[in-house]
């Protein structure tokens, strides 16, 4: 009975979703507006927990099909299907045959995202015609570009930025967030006690939540202590944690601004290419023999004709982009969730459409102060506060530490001395302090456990 | 001088392609040149200037793709007792040069080396699995592409290039004028000849009839001059130290680390260029002129008794041939190898790129 129910729902869903996709292609075919550029940002496919918690009954890596933080077979299939879905949505716009002149794929430098990109491309570009290089294998290699994490300020946002870190600390010390942490004190203490790992922030809570979530997907029975807190009590805070990294415009500009800027530049270049194709047509063919040997030889000339860009990244990337565009509804972005940003043209006007696909059907996302078919100029105005070029980013991130006046330094030194003295004083009575802590430890958890959840 | 005489190849001990290497290995490091590609550039009067290379300029041809896939299968066969059939991320590290043809060469080799089996079959219709390939941007890569800017290196290179250019003019007084006139492009350095030769060679390999004027200098002496051009980048001990030496430092450090704290790595792959192969060869002390073919491969085997074996495979049809490293001929022990290579292993590359170091 329930199986029948599932099948009916599923087929209804498929019919519904295909009609929707059809509608969009029809919209395209009638000549109302023409698709001219697409940016795709997705989260990797299913993975194992990045890090189990100390008291985790499933912390033994051998219980898992692949190592911690790695992409699973389910994840590979999910990405392959997403690639196939992209093919069906953009077929006709994106040629069947792979060419570096159409598409550029960039991933964060992490195994699961690099592998997700490859699996996705296997679905998007099954070899055809003269690109079939092996009769027995329906796959062709496609370059996936990356950059080491410590250098990557665009996609992974892992390149260190002192100013950003300071701004984030300030945010987390602001009354609203302090209040959240205060209200969660009992929950944090409960989670810390039972998980064995320190939970004292939204971030650490989310990390534990995520591990528990994956264990339920793997049908692992969660320990009893999770019953009162997982998922219901933890979820809203895990979801909120995704909003924090780009919570304010200042944070968003430094964390997500470089990616937004790159996307805006892709579209700008696309438009100028479409408007002046003759200038860009003979870009590669004219590269003649260079005389500077291997040093100055640019082996990969800049390609200006691209119209499709894929970014393979993480849940926080999805959340950051949505939050920066003020489109984020608090949630944990699921595996292979995808943001589509489409550039359309109509009578030499350009429009931006944004979709978010976190299940089967992509939802239209309407920017604040702009209609769904957002004119490109208006779109530029909306994202303007986020746009930041590489040099500015680097300067702002670097200068933070040296931004002190002499007086401030004197005050700082005084402060440091004071802290040292206080620490020393504290150390004297540290024994009695810890004793007290031990005594009060048990009480709040009881209360929490008895609460209605 | 008709062909490049690879004397050292004669001294190779043929190991045989089918012979399996059993469990005596403890670390395997492999550097390979990408598979056959289309030309990266053309010359002004090239009759094939607008030839439609499938995949575009500088990309792998289908034959090139098959070469890399086959190389992967050959490695699987040779090392099947050492490398588990399951791909395990903690055992395998793949680094590539930034260029597309190297990235996909690495993907193809891995496809041949690790076809999914058993539980790793994630899609029964597709016997392939995704495996990550890492790389550094061009201007930060001093190991594979060796394009990270280095002042002292550039200076030393320019110096030796000028000397060798004059030598080549003495030897072939007319070649630069002749090629410039017929190509319609400026051919004035040994490097120019190298790039022109590469283009002609690829067109030739793909059955595109070369213009008659090429016959005077193609393939010889252009091929020899091409090998000479590649050799310039590691011509002197200093040049070796700042190019191929960086690679060898990496490789020997990996081996030392393996011996000391038994890292989980079993296989480290490097996907590079002909220039990478030449720089590494010459830094090993194997100075004979060499124009590496597509899919040319250098293998560094570290055995359990700390013995190091270095092998070379000219192309996919060649055997795995053991090479004898000057100064570390028979049963080359790791510590001895490090001692022999010491003059070319940079202590602090960044510093040596700025300061004068006595080599």
């Amino acid at each position: 009975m329930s199986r029948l129910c599932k099948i009916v729902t599923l087929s209804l869903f498929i019919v519904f979703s295909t009609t929707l996709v059809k509608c969009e292609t029809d919209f395209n075919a009638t000549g109302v507006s023409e698709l001219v550029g697409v940016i795709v940002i997705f989260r990797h496919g299913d993975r194992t927990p990045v890090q189990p918690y100390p008291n985790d009954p499933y912390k033994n890596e051998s219980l898992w099909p692949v190592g911690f933080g790695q992409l699973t077979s389910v994840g590979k299939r999910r990405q392959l299907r997403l690639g196939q879905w992209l093919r069906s949505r953009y077929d006709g716009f994106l040629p069947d045959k792979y060419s570096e002149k159409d598409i550029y794929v960039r991933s964060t430098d992490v195994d699961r995202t690099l592998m997700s990109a490859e699996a996705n491309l296997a679905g998007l570009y099954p070899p055809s015609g003269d690109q079939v290089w092996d009769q027995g294998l329906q796959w062709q290699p496609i370059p996936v570009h990356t950059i080491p994490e410590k250098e990557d300020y665009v996609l992974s946002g892992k390149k260190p930025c002192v100013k950003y870190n300071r701004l984030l600390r300030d945010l987390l010390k602001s009354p609203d967030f302090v209040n959240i942490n205060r209200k969660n004190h009992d929950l944090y203490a409960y989670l810390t006690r039972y998980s064995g790992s320190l939970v004292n922030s939204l971030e650490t809570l989310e990390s534990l939540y995520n591990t528990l979530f994956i264990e339920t997907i793997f049908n692992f029975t969660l320990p009893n202590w999770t019953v009162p807190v997982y998922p219901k009590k933890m979820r809203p805070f895990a979801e909120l944690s995704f909003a924090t990294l780009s919570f304010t415009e200042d944070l968003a500009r430094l964390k997500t601004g470089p990616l937004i800027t790159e996307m805006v530049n892709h579209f700008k270049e696309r438009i100028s290419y479409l408007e002046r194709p003759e200038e860009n047509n003979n870009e590669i063919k004219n590269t003649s023999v260079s005389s500077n040997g291997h040093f100055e030889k640019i082996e990969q000339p800049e390609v200006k004709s691209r119209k499709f860009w894929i970014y393979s990244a993480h849940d926080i990337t999805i959340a950051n982009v949505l939050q920066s565009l003020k489109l984020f509804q608090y949630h944990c972005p699921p595996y292979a969730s995808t943001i589509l940003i489409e550039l359309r043209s109509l009578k030499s006007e350009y429009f931006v459409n944004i979709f978010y696909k976190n299940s089967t059907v992509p939802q239209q996302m309407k920017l604040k102060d702009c209609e769904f078919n957002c004119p490109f100029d208006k779109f530029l105005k909306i994202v303007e506060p986020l746009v930041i070029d590489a040099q500015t980013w680097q300067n702002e991130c670097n200068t933070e530490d040296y931004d002190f006046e002499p007086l401030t330094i004197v005050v700082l030194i005084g402060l440091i001395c004071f802290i040292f003295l206080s620490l020393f004083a504290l150390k004297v009575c540290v024994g009695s302090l810890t004793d007290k802590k031990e005594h009060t430890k048990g009480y709040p958890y009881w209360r929490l456990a008895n609460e209605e959840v | 001088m008709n062909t490049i005489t690879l004397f050292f190849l004669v001294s190779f001990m043929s190991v045989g392609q089918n012979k399996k290497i059993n469990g005596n290995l403890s670390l395997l490091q492999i550097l390979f040149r990408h598979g056959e590609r289309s030309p990266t550039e053309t010359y002004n009067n090239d009759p094939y200037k607008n030839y439609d290379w499938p995949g575009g300029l500088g990309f792998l041809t289908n034959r090139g793709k098959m070469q890399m896939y086959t190389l992967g299968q050959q490695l699987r066969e040779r090392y099947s007792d050492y490398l588990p059939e399951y791909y395990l991320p903690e055992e395998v590290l793949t680094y590539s040069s930034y260029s597309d043809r190297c990235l996909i060469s690495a993907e193809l080799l891995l496809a041949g080396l690790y076809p999914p089996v058993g539980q790793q079959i994630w899609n029964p219709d597709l016997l392939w699995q995704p495996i990550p390939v890492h790389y550094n941007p061009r201007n930060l890569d001093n190991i594979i592409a060796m394009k990270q800017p280095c002042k002292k290196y550039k200076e030393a290179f320019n110096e030796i290039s000028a000397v060798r250019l004059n030598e080549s003019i003495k030897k072939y007084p007319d070649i630069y004028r002749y090629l410039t006139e017929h190509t319609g492009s400026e051919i004035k350095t040994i490097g120019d000849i190298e790039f022109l030769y590469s283009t002609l060679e690829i067109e030739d390999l793909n059955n595109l009839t070369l213009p008659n004027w090429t016959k005077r200098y193609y393939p010889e002496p252009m091929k020899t001059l091409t090998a000479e051009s590649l050799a310039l980048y590691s011509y002197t001990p200093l040049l070796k130290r700042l190019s191929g030496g960086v690679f060898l430092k990496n490789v020997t450090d990996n081996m030392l680390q393996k011996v000391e704290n038994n890292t989980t790595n079993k296989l480290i792959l490097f996907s590079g260029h002909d220039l990478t192969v030449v720089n590494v060869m010459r830094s090993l002390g194997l100075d004979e002129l060499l124009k590496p073919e597509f899919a040319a491969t250098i293998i560094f085997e570290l055995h359990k008794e700390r013995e190091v074996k270095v092998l070379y495979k000219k192309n996919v049809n060649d055997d795995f041939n053991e090479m004898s490293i000057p100064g570390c001929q028979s049963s080359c022990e790791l510590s001895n190898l490090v001692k022999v290579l010491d003059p070319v292993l940079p202590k602090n590359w960044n510093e040596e790129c700025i300061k004068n170091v006595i080599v």
Side-chain angles (χ1 to χ4, degrees):
Chain A
M1 184 63 194
S2 78
R3 181 183 280 179
L4 185 76
C5 203
K6 263 186 198 163
I7 292 171
V8 171
T9 338
L10 195 75
S11 34
L12 268 176
F13 211 42
I14 290 168
V15 170
F16 179 66
S17 56
T18 41
T19 351
L20 230 136
V21 173
K22 258 256 148 6
C23 282
E24 278 157 15
T25 11
D26 284 348
F27 171 70
N28 182 10
T30 51
V32 174
S33 73
E34 189 198 349
L35 184 64
V36 293
V38 178
I39 289 167
V40 178
I41 310 164
F42 56 71
R43 185 193 178 198
H44 55 77
D46 307 43
R47 60 159 164 82
T48 52
V50 172
Q51 203 179 9
Y53 53 93
N55 298 341
D56 196 333
Y58 311 107
K59 69 177 170 188
N60 185 342
E61 207 168 6
S62 65
L63 293 167
W64 300 88
V66 291
F68 287 129
Q70 293 287 339
L71 192 67
T72 65
S73 290
V74 178
K76 291 170 196 170
R77 284 196 288 275
R78 198 187 294 276
Q79 280 296 342
L80 181 85
R81 279 201 306 273
L82 178 60
Q84 290 166 338
W85 181 85
L86 289 171
R87 168 53 62 198
S88 69
R89 182 176 172 90
Y90 297 112
D91 209 18
F93 172 68
L94 197 64
D96 286 348
K97 286 187 190 171
Y98 164 77
S99 165
E100 92 286 1
K101 288 179 192 124
D102 297 325
I103 185 171
Y104 189 86
V105 183
R106 175 164 178 177
S107 169
T108 61
D109 193 13
V110 178
D111 284 359
R112 59 180 174 278
T113 47
L114 290 164
M115 291 157 86
S116 286
E118 287 187 23
N120 188 294
L121 290 166
L124 183 60
Y125 283 114
S128 65
D130 62 7
Q131 291 196 328
V132 178
W133 61 277
D134 179 312
Q135 291 302 330
L137 196 60
Q138 266 299 297
W139 169 78
Q140 63 177 323
I142 291 172
V144 174
H145 298 272
T146 188
I147 183 168
E149 281 198 300
K150 63 179 193 310
E151 302 289 338
D152 187 1
Y153 66 97
V154 175
L155 191 56
S156 82
K158 289 279 172 72
K159 186 167 185 176
C161 178
V162 181
K163 183 177 179 184
Y164 176 82
N165 293 344
R166 200 256 300 157
L167 289 172
L168 184 62
R169 270 199 310 276
D170 288 352
L171 174 77
L172 298 176
K173 277 187 290 190
S174 68
D176 283 351
F177 279 85
V178 168
N179 221 8
I180 290 167
N181 283 344
R182 193 181 301 136
K183 275 190 188 154
N184 274 343
H185 177 267
D186 291 354
L187 176 63
Y188 289 169
Y190 180 86
L191 294 173
T192 302
R193 176 171 177 190
Y194 285 99
S195 71
S197 78
L198 180 65
V199 177
N200 60 357
S201 62
L202 293 174
E203 192 193 355
T204 44
L205 179 143
E206 192 279 324
S207 150
L208 178 61
Y209 177 86
N210 186 268
T211 300
L212 296 174
F213 170 74
I214 292 170
E215 289 173 348
T216 60
I217 290 183
F218 275 82
N219 284 330
F220 289 169
T221 311
L222 295 186
N224 273 332
W225 65 263
T226 60
V227 174
V229 290
Y230 179 88
K232 214 175 155 191
K233 217 172 169 82
M234 288 174 80
R235 188 194 289 140
F237 302 107
E239 291 176 344
L240 175 62
S241 84
F242 280 102
T244 55
L245 295 180
S246 293
F247 202 76
T248 63
E249 203 161 83
D250 287 342
L251 285 168
R253 181 164 162 274
L254 290 173
K255 185 55 107 185
T256 321
L259 178 57
I260 303 274
T261 309
E262 190 173 293
M263 297 192 295
V264 164
N265 288 341
H266 287 329
F267 278 171
K268 278 185 181 165
E269 277 164 26
R270 180 72 186 143
I271 290 169
S272 79
Y273 177 83
L274 289 169
E275 291 182 345
R276 275 178 248 92
E278 68 283 353
E279 273 176 35
N280 306 300
N281 258 351
N282 37 17
E283 25 172 312
I284 295 178
K285 299 265 162 154
N286 264 356
T287 51
S288 58
V289 177
S290 66
S291 55
N292 294 308
H294 287 264
F295 289 107
E296 281 84 22
K297 190 166 175 268
I298 303 300
E299 293 190 9
Q300 267 155 209
E302 203 190 334
V303 179
K304 291 175 181 163
S305 57
R306 287 198 182 108
K307 54 184 180 179
F308 211 96
W309 297 268
I310 290 182
Y311 293 94
S312 177
H314 307 268
D315 46 8
I316 52 169
T317 324
I318 298 287
N320 278 332
V321 171
L322 291 175
Q323 173 73 18
S324 302
L325 298 172
K326 304 193 174 81
L327 296 171
F328 187 58
Q329 291 163 332
Y330 295 171
H331 74 297
C332 305
Y335 297 126
S337 49
T338 305
I339 299 170
L340 305 169
I341 307 179
E342 298 178 349
L343 182 68
R344 293 182 165 270
S345 89
L346 175 65
K347 294 178 191 141
S348 63
E349 299 276 332
Y350 294 92
F351 301 89
V352 175
N353 290 166
I354 303 174
F355 298 86
Y356 180 48
K357 178 180 183 292
N358 62 356
S359 61
T360 324
V361 187
Q363 310 155 240
Q364 296 187 351
M365 307 297 273
K366 205 186 90 48
L367 288 166
K368 200 172 161 276
D369 304 324
C370 204
E371 50 270 44
F372 172 69
N373 283 303
C374 185
F376 189 60
D377 290 342
K378 227 167 166 184
F379 175 75
L380 287 183
K381 265 219 183 82
I382 291 172
V383 297
E384 199 188 350
L386 300 167
V387 169
I388 182 168
D389 62 69
Q391 198 53 55
T392 314
W393 187 91
Q394 195 61 67
N395 289 346
E396 278 193 31
C397 286
N398 279 349
T399 49
E400 178 72 0
D401 260 351
Y402 316 104
D403 210 17
F404 297 122
E405 284 170 31
L407 186 73
T408 332
I409 292 173
V410 174
V411 173
L412 261 177
I413 292 169
L415 209 76
I416 290 166
C417 292
F418 177 74
I419 291 169
F420 265 102
L421 281 172
S422 322
L423 277 175
F424 182 75
L426 224 121
K427 207 189 162 191
V428 176
C429 40
V430 86
S432 59
L433 263 177
T434 39
D435 277 354
K436 263 183 203 164
K437 252 190 185 167
E438 289 302 324
H439 285 305
T440 49
K441 226 178 187 175
Y443 182 62
Y445 316 131
W446 277 104
R447 252 191 12 207
L448 188 89
N450 291 340
E451 265 178 18
E452 203 76 34
V453 244
Chain B
M1 186 138 99
N2 287 335
T3 52
I4 299 162
T5 42
L6 298 171
F7 284 117
F8 62 98
L9 280 176
V10 179
S11 68
F12 285 167
M13 247 167 57
S14 180
V15 176
Q17 200 137 311
N18 300 326
K19 200 170 151 194
K20 281 187 181 179
I21 296 302
N22 25 36
N24 195 23
L25 271 173
S26 72
L27 182 65
L28 188 59
Q29 299 182 85
I30 303 176
L31 164 69
F32 49 91
R33 185 194 180 197
H34 55 77
E36 186 194 86
R37 59 165 168 82
S38 56
T40 48
E41 58 216 339
T42 60
Y43 53 92
N44 285 338
N45 298 341
D46 192 344
Y48 308 108
K49 204 170 164 176
N50 294 312
Y51 186 80
D52 193 17
W53 294 94
L57 291 182
F59 207 63
L60 291 198
T61 61
N62 279 350
R63 189 162 47 194
K65 290 176 187 169
M66 193 47 102
Q67 286 168 349
M68 296 320 295
Y69 187 64
T70 307
L71 179 59
Q73 289 173 324
Q74 290 167 345
L75 291 169
R76 162 58 56 203
E77 195 185 347
R78 178 176 162 89
Y79 295 108
S80 61
D81 292 345
Y82 169 68
L83 293 175
E85 285 186 304
Y86 271 34
Y87 158 74
L88 297 173
E90 63 271 28
E91 289 183 352
V92 184
L93 270 173
T94 308
Y95 298 108
S96 172
S97 150
Y98 66 94
S99 82
D100 282 0
R101 59 179 171 279
C102 294
L103 291 172
I104 69 164
S105 288
E107 285 187 23
L108 284 153
L109 184 139
L110 288 162
L113 183 58
Y114 286 109
V117 292
Q119 288 213 326
Q120 290 200 326
I121 298 177
W122 59 283
N123 178 355
D125 298 329
L126 184 63
L127 288 182
W128 164 81
Q129 61 181 323
I131 295 177
V133 177
H134 305 271
Y135 75 94
N136 270 318
R138 188 179 194 268
N139 61 344
L140 293 177
D141 179 2
N142 61 355
I143 293 178
I144 302 176
M146 305 185 189
K147 295 284 161 62
Q148 188 170 350
C150 176
K151 190 166 160 270
K152 286 286 163 198
Y153 181 76
K154 187 75 198 288
E155 287 168 7
F157 173 82
N158 288 343
E159 209 173 294
I160 194 69
S161 295
V163 174
R164 298 306 304 169
L165 176 64
N166 285 335
E167 289 294 313
S168 71
I169 292 171
K170 260 183 230 160
K171 211 163 175 183
Y172 311 102
D174 196 36
I175 193 166
Y176 293 101
R177 188 202 59 78
Y178 182 87
L179 292 177
T180 302
E181 190 185 308
H182 285 89
T183 57
S185 296
E186 255 192 301
I187 306 292
K188 51 179 199 220
T189 66
I190 307 182
D192 294 342
I193 290 186
E194 179 202 335
F195 291 122
L196 178 60
Y197 174 82
S198 292
T199 298
L200 296 176
E201 186 193 41
I202 291 162
E203 290 174 348
D204 197 10
L205 277 170
N206 286 278
N207 299 325
L208 301 177
T209 313
L210 297 182
N212 264 331
W213 61 260
T214 58
K215 285 188 180 135
R216 182 151 159 204
Y217 290 117
Y218 178 91
E220 287 298 344
M222 281 182 78
K223 190 175 180 186
T224 305
L225 284 168
T226 296
E228 165 105 0
S229 168
L230 290 168
L232 290 177
Y233 294 82
S234 47
Y235 213 82
T236 65
L238 178 70
L239 287 167
K240 286 175 183 174
R241 192 175 162 103
L242 297 176
S243 66
V246 190
F247 180 90
L248 290 176
K249 176 93 170 80
N250 197 283
V251 162
T252 49
D253 280 355
N254 291 338
M255 290 196 265
L256 290 169
Q257 252 176 38
K258 184 75 188 180
V259 168
E260 276 159 26
N261 49 18
N262 209 13
T263 55
T264 55
N265 295 338
K266 294 190 83 171
L267 173 66
I268 305 175
L269 297 168
F270 301 91
S271 183
H273 305 267
D274 48 2
L275 186 58
T276 323
V277 171
V278 171
N279 282 343
V280 170
M281 269 309 193
R282 296 181 61 87
S283 302
L284 280 168
L286 299 163
D287 280 339
E288 288 78 1
L289 284 184
L290 171 66
K291 165 79 181 99
E293 295 177 41
F294 295 116
T297 304
I298 306 178
I299 300 179
F300 299 85
E301 295 179 353
L302 174 67
H303 292 260
K304 292 242 162 76
E305 325 71 55
R306 301 190 177 200
E307 192 195 337
V308 179
K309 286 186 176 157
V310 186
L311 304 105
Y312 188 63
K313 193 176 183 305
K314 282 196 289 190
N315 56 43
V316 277
N317 300 319
D318 189 24
D319 284 345
F320 293 89
N321 300 297
E322 195 175 334
M323 294 191 286
S324 79
I325 306 299
C328 207
Q329 269 88 352
S330 59
S331 63
C332 180
E333 212 261 342
L334 176 58
S335 57
N336 189 29
L337 179 68
V338 173
K339 211 184 292 162
V340 167
L341 294 178
D342 186 66
V344 298
L345 302 181
K347 300 285 172 290
N348 183 341
W349 186 82
N350 284 306
E351 210 169 84
E352 292 178 27
C353 280
I354 309 166
K355 288 186 189 160
N356 284 318
V357 177
I358 296 146
V359 186

